[in-house]
Amino acid sequence: MAEQGAADPVNNNNNNKPEASEGTIIKVTVKTPKDKEEIAIAEDASVTQFKEEISKRFKAKQDQLVLIFAGKILKDGDSLSQHGIKDGLTVHLVIKTAHKATDGGSTSASSSASTQVGSSSTSSPAANPASTTGPAGSGPAPTQTPNLMSGFGDLANLAGLGMGSANFMELQQQMQRQLMSNPEMLSQIMENPLVQNMMSNPDLMRQMIVANPQMQQLMERNPEISHMLNNPELMRQTMELARNPAMMQEMMRNQDRALSNLESIPGGYNALRRMYTDIQEPMFSAAREQFGNNPFSALGGASDSGVQPSRTENREPLPNPWGPPNSSNPSESGGATTGSTSTSGTTNPSVSNPLGINPGSLGNGMFNSPGMQSLLQQISENPQLMQNMLSAPYMRSMMQSLAQNPELASQVMVNNPLFAGNPQLQEQFRAQLPVFLQQMQNPEALSVMTNPRAMQALMQIQQGLQTLQTEAPGLMPSLMTGGIPGVPTGGAAPAENPASSPSSATTSPAQQQLMQQMLQMFAGGGGGGSGGAGSATTQTPEVRFQTQLEQLSAMGFINREANLQALIATGGDINAAIERLLGSQPS
Amino acid sequence: MIFFNPPPLVKGVVVPRSFRLLEELEEGQKGGGDGTVSWGLADDDDMMLSHWNGMIIGPAKTVYEGRIYSLKINCGPRYPEDPPMVRFVNKINLNGVNSSTGVVDLKSVSALSRWKNSFNIKMVLQELRQHMMMKENSRLSQPPEGQVYSN
């Protein structure tokens, strides 16, 4: 039986005591997961003294040392004997590294950095003793910022679902960078009604955000974020803020003030700093990869939750979605881009104004930026890109809102650099607008647009038309390509040709009709009929829509006038015409 | 002559509780294991050797890295036949750990789900540490350091 049964449990019998049993020096083994050292220390020493010895031997700072013995952490004020540390026993040592809040080893990949941030952000609201009420939303919110941006950068990935074109991503990143470095662009974007339209749909926003796998990861690790997203009130408030750049700046100023107040609170500054290092650094190193820009200095989460989301929201509306609808007009596939850039002066980012947003109005800066243009160019050169673009879910809704709001669309058109120099074209385009938009809605049209061969065919048509026009200007009353600025004006009136002068007077309607024909073909699933596009015959709409009219009247729409109108508006698309006639919203 | 039948040498000799616990105590003091876990008697006057402290150093490359988790282990009267009661002192987000009390459900740790009397406190701590390294646990978001369960 155990002879130790009655023994004092602490005093082990097998004490290998050295000669001096009452001796003051004991040898204690200090063990780390990697290392083991024997340290001689006085028996009655304090833990602090012990740590001094250890720090010398292990070459670590004393405050980095954590000593554990028998399952207990040894506090500095204790003594070794208090814990029963005797000669020959082993004490465990943990050397704390500087980043004690890092959760999990993560590589420098931005996604893991963001997930890391996501987990450490949960520490921020609690770790900030001086936080004002309601920081719960603001804690995780700052982490959203890079995610949303990268989210929109990555949305393209999502949308493309295996988008192979690396160029596209580059471009998008370029664009983002541009966007970031040019804050006025941002406010311009904000003011653009299309954006506002988009943003007024919280569901849409939420979907976009959630669709990003990074966000999903983040949400998984940090339920606060998903709460924020799920809270329509918050989203709406956020979007309100984002919509109003002046308000946003005001908010930021408030936050700045709050921040500086924080600093004055004892312990607050440390908390802030901690928050910064915990959150901001990884966040911005992640963000920096994408944007090449780190306008932030000290940021914290200690203000109303409304402000933080504003910071996240204001990065959302990328110009990206508008690029393709403008360039996807088949007649533009020539890929012309204007060369003007108009980036107004940027505001230096400050603490209160992290993005350096200067809510002044910008011209068509956004669309004229080189990034955007190169994007457009790229897109038109590479139909695959377009396909990927168009298949984006948000694209659909974009199109829808475009279609529903012709003014919006016309504004967008106006801003399009391709039309910027040519008011004529703009006019023409405005006329085409309803047709065009309906086309965009038409899935067949979309599929044609996404079909690279079809696009090529269209380009060929266009080229053929051009050649025709130069070779036989009399044949074609006008140059139909609406997308190449200067060419219509140049080609529309070769003075020496008498046939063209009357035709130039009829340029608009003929052109329109030509366009309509083109689009009609489009609607017809138009891979074929390329020959038909060349003939600029002017049929009356009635004749053209003969079959459709018959069908409509057979269906019971007896108002021929109305039918005709509807058909004209939809370019011969019966289904769309029916919807128009019924006055119902296209779903 | 009376001779005592020597007690049959049965495999699986039942080791008395105190014997076992004293062994474990000694090993704990000598720093058994690889330095990633530690255990010892909570109270030196605990004659029953029931209340123990445990310590787990969060494994690297997990969310637990850099953290030191303190545990309370209670070896009941039927230990080691019956498993000990284990609970975390520091708050932790880990499968099998009750998020409000920190009590560990040993059955959720695969290696400990079928308790044997050969298991000991060291094993409990080491297996819990392994449990932290499992995929389903190694990336769970953790509460801020320094928080403890209230009971």
Side-chain angles (χ1 to χ4, degrees):
Chain A
M1 271 298 292
E3 63 276 17
Q4 302 146 326
D8 181 355
V10 174
N11 287 332
N12 285 329
N13 284 355
N14 51 345
N15 278 336
N16 317 338
K17 285 203 173 126
E19 327 76 23
S21 53
E22 297 294 317
T24 42
I25 305 292
I26 53 173
K27 288 214 186 65
V28 182
T29 308
V30 178
K31 210 174 177 184
T32 66
K34 305 191 186 103
D35 241 342
K36 192 160 92 164
E37 297 270 347
E38 213 177 62
I39 300 208
I41 187 81
E43 199 175 36
D44 51 5
S46 68
V47 172
T48 316
Q49 290 168 320
F50 194 30
K51 279 190 178 175
E52 272 176 37
E53 285 298 318
I54 295 178
S55 79
K56 282 187 234 161
R57 191 76 73 86
F58 283 85
K59 315 246 186 319
K61 287 207 280 217
Q62 255 182 280
D63 37 6
Q64 285 178 301
L65 306 177
V66 178
L67 287 174
I68 299 169
F69 178 70
K72 277 193 282 220
I73 295 186
L74 307 181
K75 302 213 188 354
D76 288 357
D78 301 339
S79 73
L80 297 184
S81 52
Q82 204 175 327
H83 287 280
I85 299 177
K86 300 189 181 316
D87 185 63
L89 298 183
T90 303
V91 171
H92 294 292
L93 171 68
V94 177
I95 302 179
K96 282 184 172 268
T97 53
H99 313 283
K100 59 183 175 86
T102 52
D103 299 335
S106 57
T107 59
S108 56
S110 63
S111 62
S112 52
S114 59
T115 51
Q116 180 180 4
V117 161
S119 51
S120 53
S121 75
T122 53
S123 61
S124 71
N128 183 359
S131 58
T132 57
T133 53
S138 59
T143 71
Q144 280 193 31
T145 318
N147 286 334
L148 279 173
M149 280 312 264
S150 56
F152 274 83
D154 289 342
L155 254 185
N157 267 337
L158 254 195
L161 279 184
M163 182 183 293
S165 165
N167 283 343
F168 182 68
M169 279 309 294
E170 263 177 32
L171 280 171
Q172 194 159 27
Q173 285 186 1
Q174 266 184 34
M175 216 176 357
Q176 284 183 7
R177 247 176 257 133
Q178 210 152 48
L179 194 58
M180 294 325 300
S181 56
N182 190 352
E184 279 118 349
M185 243 201 276
L186 204 52
S187 58
Q188 175 67 2
I189 292 168
M190 286 299 172
E191 286 162 19
N192 190 317
L194 178 57
V195 178
Q196 294 190 358
N197 210 9
M198 192 170 81
M199 308 256 280
S200 55
N201 183 355
D203 278 304
L204 181 59
M205 298 309 309
R206 189 174 163 276
Q207 272 174 24
M208 283 206 259
I209 294 174
V210 170
N212 179 8
Q214 280 186 2
M215 275 307 287
Q216 280 171 357
Q217 265 186 21
L218 193 59
M219 272 167 58
E220 195 187 329
R221 317 187 89 224
N222 189 351
E224 281 173 300
I225 290 186
S226 54
H227 285 163
M228 212 189 90
L229 281 178
N230 287 336
N231 181 358
E233 196 46 57
L234 194 51
M235 290 293 279
R236 222 168 277 126
Q237 187 185 19
T238 293
M239 288 194 266
E240 281 296 322
L241 268 179
R243 245 193 281 249
N244 186 345
M247 187 173 9
M248 187 155 55
Q249 206 181 18
E250 186 55 41
M251 283 294 211
M252 295 217 205
R253 252 182 248 122
N254 281 346
Q255 185 183 348
D256 214 39
R257 247 178 271 129
L259 260 185
S260 41
N261 283 344
L262 245 197
E263 282 185 48
S264 57
I265 297 174
Y269 178 71
N270 281 339
L272 271 181
R273 215 164 39 103
R274 213 181 324 147
M275 227 180 335
Y276 172 60
T277 48
D278 283 357
I279 299 174
Q280 303 297 346
E281 267 174 2
M283 189 166 82
F284 295 124
S285 39
R288 212 177 287 129
E289 282 176 27
Q290 289 231 349
F291 312 125
N293 218 359
N294 185 1
F296 291 74
S297 53
L299 272 182
S303 63
D304 347 291
S305 54
V307 182
Q308 289 298 336
S310 82
R311 199 195 314 273
T312 70
E313 285 300 328
N314 60 17
R315 302 214 214 190
E316 282 188 18
L318 287 185
N320 191 21
W322 305 324
N326 291 333
S327 62
S328 62
N329 180 346
S331 56
E332 297 174 16
S333 43
T337 54
T338 58
S340 56
T341 30
S342 61
T343 55
S344 323
T346 58
T347 310
N348 280 335
S350 68
V351 173
S352 68
N353 194 351
L355 298 177
I357 288 181
N358 178 3
S361 59
L362 186 62
N364 297 330
M366 182 194 65
F367 285 103
N368 290 345
S369 71
M372 185 65 161
Q373 283 164 16
S374 55
L375 175 70
L376 291 176
Q377 205 170 16
Q378 191 87 4
I379 287 223
S380 33
E381 282 162 13
N382 186 351
Q384 182 66 17
L385 282 179
M386 195 118 69
Q387 172 175 6
N388 294 333
M389 264 284 163
L390 286 175
S391 51
Y394 59 81
M395 191 60 62
R396 296 278 152 110
S397 22
M398 203 81 54
M399 302 284 202
Q400 269 184 18
S401 44
L402 263 183
Q404 285 168 13
N405 191 347
E407 278 141 19
L408 253 184
S410 62
Q411 267 204 21
V412 169
M413 294 298 170
V414 165
N415 284 340
N416 190 327
L418 297 169
F419 297 137
N422 196 337
Q424 245 188 6
L425 274 176
Q426 286 179 10
E427 284 312 309
Q428 288 163 10
F429 235 79
R430 254 188 226 124
Q432 302 306 318
L433 220 39
V435 186
F436 177 58
L437 289 173
Q438 289 298 336
Q439 294 311 319
M440 297 311 286
Q441 294 270 320
N442 187 349
E444 277 184 8
L446 285 177
S447 62
V448 168
M449 257 193 275
T450 62
N451 182 353
R453 286 186 304 286
M455 291 303 295
Q456 277 181 6
L458 279 170
M459 279 175 68
Q460 284 175 5
I461 293 174
Q462 183 186 341
Q463 283 167 8
L465 285 176
Q466 279 185 34
T467 341
L468 254 187
Q469 177 256 325
T470 49
E471 297 290 328
L475 178 61
M476 298 209 26
S478 55
L479 180 64
M480 60 76 56
T481 64
I484 303 185
V487 175
T489 49
E496 54 270 30
N497 192 331
S500 67
S501 34
S503 69
S504 59
T506 61
T507 293
S508 286
Q511 248 183 318
Q512 277 186 23
Q513 282 183 344
L514 208 46
M515 271 294 282
Q516 279 194 342
Q517 275 182 3
M518 283 290 299
L519 293 173
Q520 227 183 346
M521 264 176 15
F522 225 43
S530 53
S535 69
T537 54
T538 56
Q539 296 170 310
T540 64
E542 253 187 344
V543 176
R544 272 190 292 139
F545 297 134
Q546 184 68 23
T547 28
Q548 286 94 331
L549 275 172
E550 278 170 17
Q551 283 179 320
L552 280 177
S553 52
M555 278 190 240
F557 294 98
I558 43 181
N559 186 347
R560 232 178 123 75
E561 260 315 305
N563 292 355
L564 200 52
Q565 290 297 327
L567 280 170
I568 293 177
T570 64
D573 180 5
I574 292 193
N575 289 333
I578 291 177
E579 280 170 349
R580 270 184 103 85
L581 288 170
L582 290 173
S584 57
Q585 299 270 348
S587 56
Chain B
M1 276 222 290
I2 309 168
F3 39 90
F4 297 101
N5 275 337
L9 268 181
V10 186
K11 289 185 242 166
V13 162
V14 175
V15 178
R17 177 184 179 275
S18 47
F19 191 77
R20 263 289 296 270
L21 287 170
L22 283 171
E23 269 186 349
E24 299 199 45
L25 178 64
E26 195 175 325
E27 200 188 353
Q29 287 180 334
K30 294 229 177 93
D34 53 0
T36 53
V37 296
S38 173
W39 65 96
L41 257 192
D43 183 3
D44 291 341
D45 300 328
D46 181 6
M47 290 295 148
M48 293 301 296
L49 307 175
S50 309
H51 300 287
W52 294 70
N53 290 325
M55 191 82 61
I56 299 179
I57 298 177
K61 307 231 184 331
T62 67
V63 287
Y64 313 99
E65 178 171 9
R67 299 208 191 186
I68 301 177
Y69 291 96
S70 191
L71 296 90
K72 290 247 171 268
I73 302 167
N74 192 351
C75 299
R78 290 169 48 85
Y79 179 86
E81 294 301 318
D82 287 357
M85 244 264 303
V86 184
R87 75 172 186 89
F88 275 87
V89 174
N90 300 101
K91 281 206 177 168
I92 186 173
N93 183 9
L94 177 63
N95 279 315
V97 179
N98 182 314
S99 50
S100 37
T101 62
V103 173
V104 178
D105 176 17
L106 288 179
K107 293 194 200 51
S108 61
V109 180
S110 52
L112 303 172
S113 53
R114 286 211 191 77
W115 179 263
K116 300 190 181 34
N117 59 11
S118 51
F119 292 178
N120 56 16
I121 296 175
K122 168 166 119 184
M123 233 190 114
V124 170
L125 294 173
Q126 285 177 330
E127 288 305 330
L128 273 175
R129 192 168 185 272
Q130 287 295 114
H131 189 56
M132 288 184 198
M133 304 210 281
M134 303 194 58
K135 263 206 178 132
E136 78 234 19
N137 293 317
S138 60
R139 306 185 71 186
L140 297 172
S141 70
Q142 295 300 313
E145 245 186 293
Q147 285 191 350
V148 294
Y149 293 104
S150 39
N151 49 352

